[in-house]
């Protein structure tokens, strides 16, 4: 194999196997983050396993009994739980943004839940003047309109639909204390602006309960987070802030453990089971893709880099194992006055005048009556080889040569007639088509 081909092979496998390793490391995490949770939530909602659905939103903690649980007349329903959520990295403040934006790590009170089972009658997608929204009626009778559309299908800068609803048939609700001070009734309008779904709570929801009390002075904790996020503080101040935060977390964990129905999400049985299910499902999605990828890159390498092991394997399996007759070209009938009971010295030469740089080895093979003859042509021998062959016609030509080159006049039938036979095959550089 020429040095250039060896180099190309090494580069190809280093690159493709490197990409395969990256896929192996990142694909399970991608599926676990973006696709699997929504699928598991859809299945859990169908089975009325609402706590599993709740823990997949990953609150810091939650109260087991819902504060709002209503079924609609034609099926489906809405369910809300008391939760405390933590601002994640996507909500962290960046340079130039408002200082009022919550910092990563801060906590907030929330009512979290789902609208489910209404995909057949609640139309929320529209690229023009979409009226879909959530109207919250407070305990004081005020109406607050909250947006629930979250993606722009046509790139015009306006939201057109709800991603989880269009893909999985449910809507995730997260009503924070900064959104509304209290909740009495929820009304959902469709794309035309008409109210389609209504759910009223049995009691006024004011973000006050035994569960929320477990989190104590949440504002002071958030002040600690903000103080720690500032630059230029000393190591002593950092240690003080971290110690105070750890003390707060410990007090919250103790309070949740002692309050009936209150749960720290990572410690709940449902969260542990859901996390395990997400990991298994993500691996089931990722592993077939990774296997197909590695098989695909090997097939490409086998055909492009000239090894042809796949073709050779199937040829061996079909003709040697399965005993399928090899259909070669039938030799033409030829009358010979002297018959064919004699041998000829057959000399085969390569004409490499058009490719003076060529220096590889070449093998040319012909067969007849189950016997194969191979001419091994080397540069040291002037690309000339001679074999003693019985007079007759030989078929099934095959040439093993560097894929950058090709013969232009390799005979389909090698006619051996006379006591000496000479054949010359011209070699040229193969044309490359882009």
């Amino acid at each position: 194999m020429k040095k250039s081909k060896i180099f190309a092979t090494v580069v190809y496998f280093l690159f493709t196997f490197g990409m395969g390793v990256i896929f192996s490391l990142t694909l399970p995490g991608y599926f676990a983050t973006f696709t699997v949770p929504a699928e598991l939530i859809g299945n859990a909602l169908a089975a009325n396993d609402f706590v599993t659905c709740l823990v997949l939103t990953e609150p810091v903690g939650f109260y087991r009994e819902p504060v709002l649980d209503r079924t609609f007349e034609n099926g489906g329903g809405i369910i809300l739980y008391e939760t405390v959520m933590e601002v994640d990295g996507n909500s962290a403040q960046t340079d130039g943004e408002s200082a009022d934006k919550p910092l990563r790590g801060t906590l907030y009170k929330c009512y979290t839940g789902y609208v489910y089972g209404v995909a057949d009658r609640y139309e929320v997608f529209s690229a023009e003047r979409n009226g879909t929204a959530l109207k919250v009626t407070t305990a004081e009778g005020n109406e607050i309109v909250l947006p629930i559309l979250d993606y722009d299908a046509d790139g015009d800068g306006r939201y057109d639909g709800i991603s989880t609803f269009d893909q999985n048939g449910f809507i995730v609700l997260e009503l924070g204390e900064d959104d509304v001070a209290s909740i009495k009734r929820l009304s959902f309008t469709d794309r035309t602006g008409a109210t389609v779904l209504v759910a009223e709570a049995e009691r006024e929801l004011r973000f006050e309960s035994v569960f929320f009390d477990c989190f104590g002075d949440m504002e002071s904790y958030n002040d600690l987070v903000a103080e720690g996020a500032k630059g230029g503080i000393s190591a002593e101040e950092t240690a003080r802030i971290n110690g105070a935060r750890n003390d707060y977390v410990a007090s919250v964990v103790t309070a949740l453990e002692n309050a009936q129905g209150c749960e720290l999400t990572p410690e709940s049985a449902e969260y542990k089971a859901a996390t395990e299910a997400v990991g298994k499902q993500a691996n089931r999605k990722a592993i077939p893709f990774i296997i197909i990828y590695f098989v695909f890159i090997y097939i490409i390498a086998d055909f492009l880099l000239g090894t042809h092991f796949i073709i050779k394997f199937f040829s061996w399996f079909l003709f040697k194992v399965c005993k399928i007759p090899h259909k070669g070209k039938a030799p033409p009938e030829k009358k010979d006055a002297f018959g064919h009971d004699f041998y000829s010295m057959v000399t085969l030469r390569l004409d490499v005048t058009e490719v003076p740089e060529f220096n590889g080895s070449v093998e040319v093979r012909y067969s007849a009556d189950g016997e194969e003859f191979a001419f091994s042509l080397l540069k040291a021998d002037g690309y000339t080889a001679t074999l003693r062959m019985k007079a007759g016609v030989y078929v099934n030509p095959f040439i093993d040569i560097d894929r950058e080159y090709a013969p232009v006049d390799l005979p389909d039938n090698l006619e051996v007639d006379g006591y000496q036979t000479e054949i010359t095959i011209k070699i040229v550089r193969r044309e490359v088509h882009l």
Side-chain angles (χ1 to χ4, degrees):
M1 183 181 293
K2 295 180 65 176
K3 291 183 179 180
S4 59
K5 181 175 288 188
I6 294 175
F7 177 76
T9 303
V10 171
V11 170
Y12 174 83
F13 279 111
L14 283 177
F15 175 77
T16 54
F17 272 83
M19 291 298 298
V21 171
I22 293 175
F23 287 144
S24 301
L25 295 176
T26 60
L27 273 181
Y30 170 82
F31 288 124
T33 301
F34 296 105
T35 64
V36 173
E39 295 174 2
L40 294 182
I41 289 171
N43 296 335
L45 287 171
N48 293 329
D49 183 5
F50 299 119
V51 175
T52 293
C53 301
L54 178 66
V55 299
L56 284 169
T57 64
E58 297 188 331
V60 175
F62 65 94
Y63 187 68
R64 281 191 169 275
E65 294 299 321
V67 294
L68 190 155
D69 185 2
R70 292 286 180 271
T71 55
F72 301 124
E73 182 178 352
N74 296 320
I78 180 174
I79 192 163
L80 286 179
Y81 291 85
E82 296 173 343
T83 65
V84 167
M85 307 294 287
E86 181 179 22
V87 178
D88 62 18
N90 295 328
S91 300
Q93 182 179 327
T94 58
D95 293 340
E97 292 185 328
S98 171
D100 295 332
K101 184 174 181 180
L103 289 171
R104 183 179 66 177
T106 56
L107 305 178
Y108 59 97
K109 298 176 183 178
C110 191
Y111 292 111
T112 304
Y114 295 90
V115 176
Y116 61 93
V118 296
D120 59 338
R121 61 186 185 280
Y122 185 40
E123 297 182 354
V124 303
F125 183 86
S126 177
E128 297 181 1
R129 297 181 181 179
N130 197 326
T132 302
L134 168 59
K135 297 180 179 179
V136 181
T137 303
T138 67
E140 295 74 26
N142 299 321
E143 187 175 82
I144 300 174
V145 179
L146 299 177
I148 54 177
L149 299 174
D150 63 2
Y151 77 93
D152 180 8
D154 54 12
D156 64 354
R158 296 179 299 183
Y159 287 142
D160 305 317
I162 305 172
S163 56
T164 57
F165 191 71
D166 291 340
Q167 297 172 11
N168 304 97
F170 62 81
I171 300 172
V172 183
L173 296 178
E174 186 179 296
L175 306 176
E177 195 173 21
D178 291 338
D179 299 319
V180 290
S182 62
I183 300 172
K184 182 57 180 175
R185 183 171 60 249
L186 302 177
S187 304
F188 296 85
T189 59
D190 65 7
R191 63 184 183 180
T192 66
T195 299
V196 177
L197 307 172
V198 178
E200 188 162 349
E202 292 184 357
R203 61 180 176 86
E204 297 172 355
L205 306 180
R206 295 181 177 271
F207 300 93
E208 298 173 351
S209 68
V210 172
F211 169 74
F212 289 127
D213 290 342
C214 290
F215 285 83
D217 190 359
M218 190 182 297
E219 291 302 320
S220 295
Y221 174 80
N222 289 340
D223 290 341
L224 289 171
V225 174
E227 189 177 353
K230 295 178 181 178
I233 60 175
S234 65
E236 291 78 7
E237 279 297 296
T238 300
R240 180 189 64 81
I241 293 170
N242 290 339
R245 289 180 63 177
N246 291 336
D247 291 342
Y248 173 81
V249 171
S251 68
V252 169
V253 171
T254 301
L256 290 173
E257 290 175 346
N258 294 331
Q260 186 176 2
C262 298
E263 291 279 358
L264 185 68
T265 300
E267 298 300 323
S268 67
E270 292 85 357
Y271 181 80
K272 293 176 181 177
T275 301
E276 183 178 357
V278 168
K280 289 181 178 178
Q281 183 69 4
N283 287 333
R284 280 196 290 267
K285 285 179 171 289
I287 289 173
F289 178 90
I290 294 168
I291 292 174
I292 291 173
Y293 171 80
F294 279 105
V295 171
F296 183 69
I297 64 173
Y298 174 76
I299 291 175
I300 292 177
D302 191 64
F303 281 93
L304 293 184
L305 301 177
T307 54
H308 303 303
F309 289 130
I310 296 175
I311 295 175
K312 292 176 182 178
F313 168 77
F314 280 105
S315 177
W316 169 81
F317 180 77
L318 293 174
F319 299 121
K320 299 295 185 181
V321 177
C322 298
K323 305 297 184 182
I324 296 177
H326 195 293
K327 295 182 179 180
K329 295 184 178 180
E333 293 184 1
K334 182 179 179 180
K335 294 182 180 180
D336 191 328
F338 299 99
H340 292 81
D341 292 329
F342 64 92
Y343 286 85
S344 175
M345 299 304 292
V346 181
T347 300
L348 191 146
R349 295 186 178 87
L350 297 184
D351 179 1
V352 294
T353 55
E354 292 192 14
V355 285
E357 78 283 1
F358 181 78
N359 61 3
S361 62
V362 179
E363 184 176 82
V364 178
R365 297 194 294 269
Y366 282 93
S367 62
D369 299 327
E371 189 175 4
E372 188 175 75
F373 292 85
F375 294 87
S376 296
L377 302 152
L378 305 174
K379 184 175 183 179
D381 299 328
Y383 292 115
T384 302
T386 301
L387 294 178
R388 184 173 179 269
M389 301 170 63
K390 192 174 183 179
V393 178
Y394 294 79
V395 296
N396 302 325
F398 178 84
I399 184 168
D400 188 1
I401 190 173
D402 189 319
R403 288 183 59 82
E404 294 181 10
Y405 303 89
V408 295
D409 51 1
L410 181 66
D412 289 337
N413 299 298
L414 176 59
E415 298 183 11
V416 178
D417 185 17
Y419 291 100
Q420 287 188 348
T421 303
E422 293 186 0
I423 303 293
T424 300
I425 299 172
K426 187 175 183 180
I427 301 299
V428 299
R429 179 174 289 275
R430 193 185 299 272
E431 294 184 3
V432 177
H433 299 281
L434 298 180

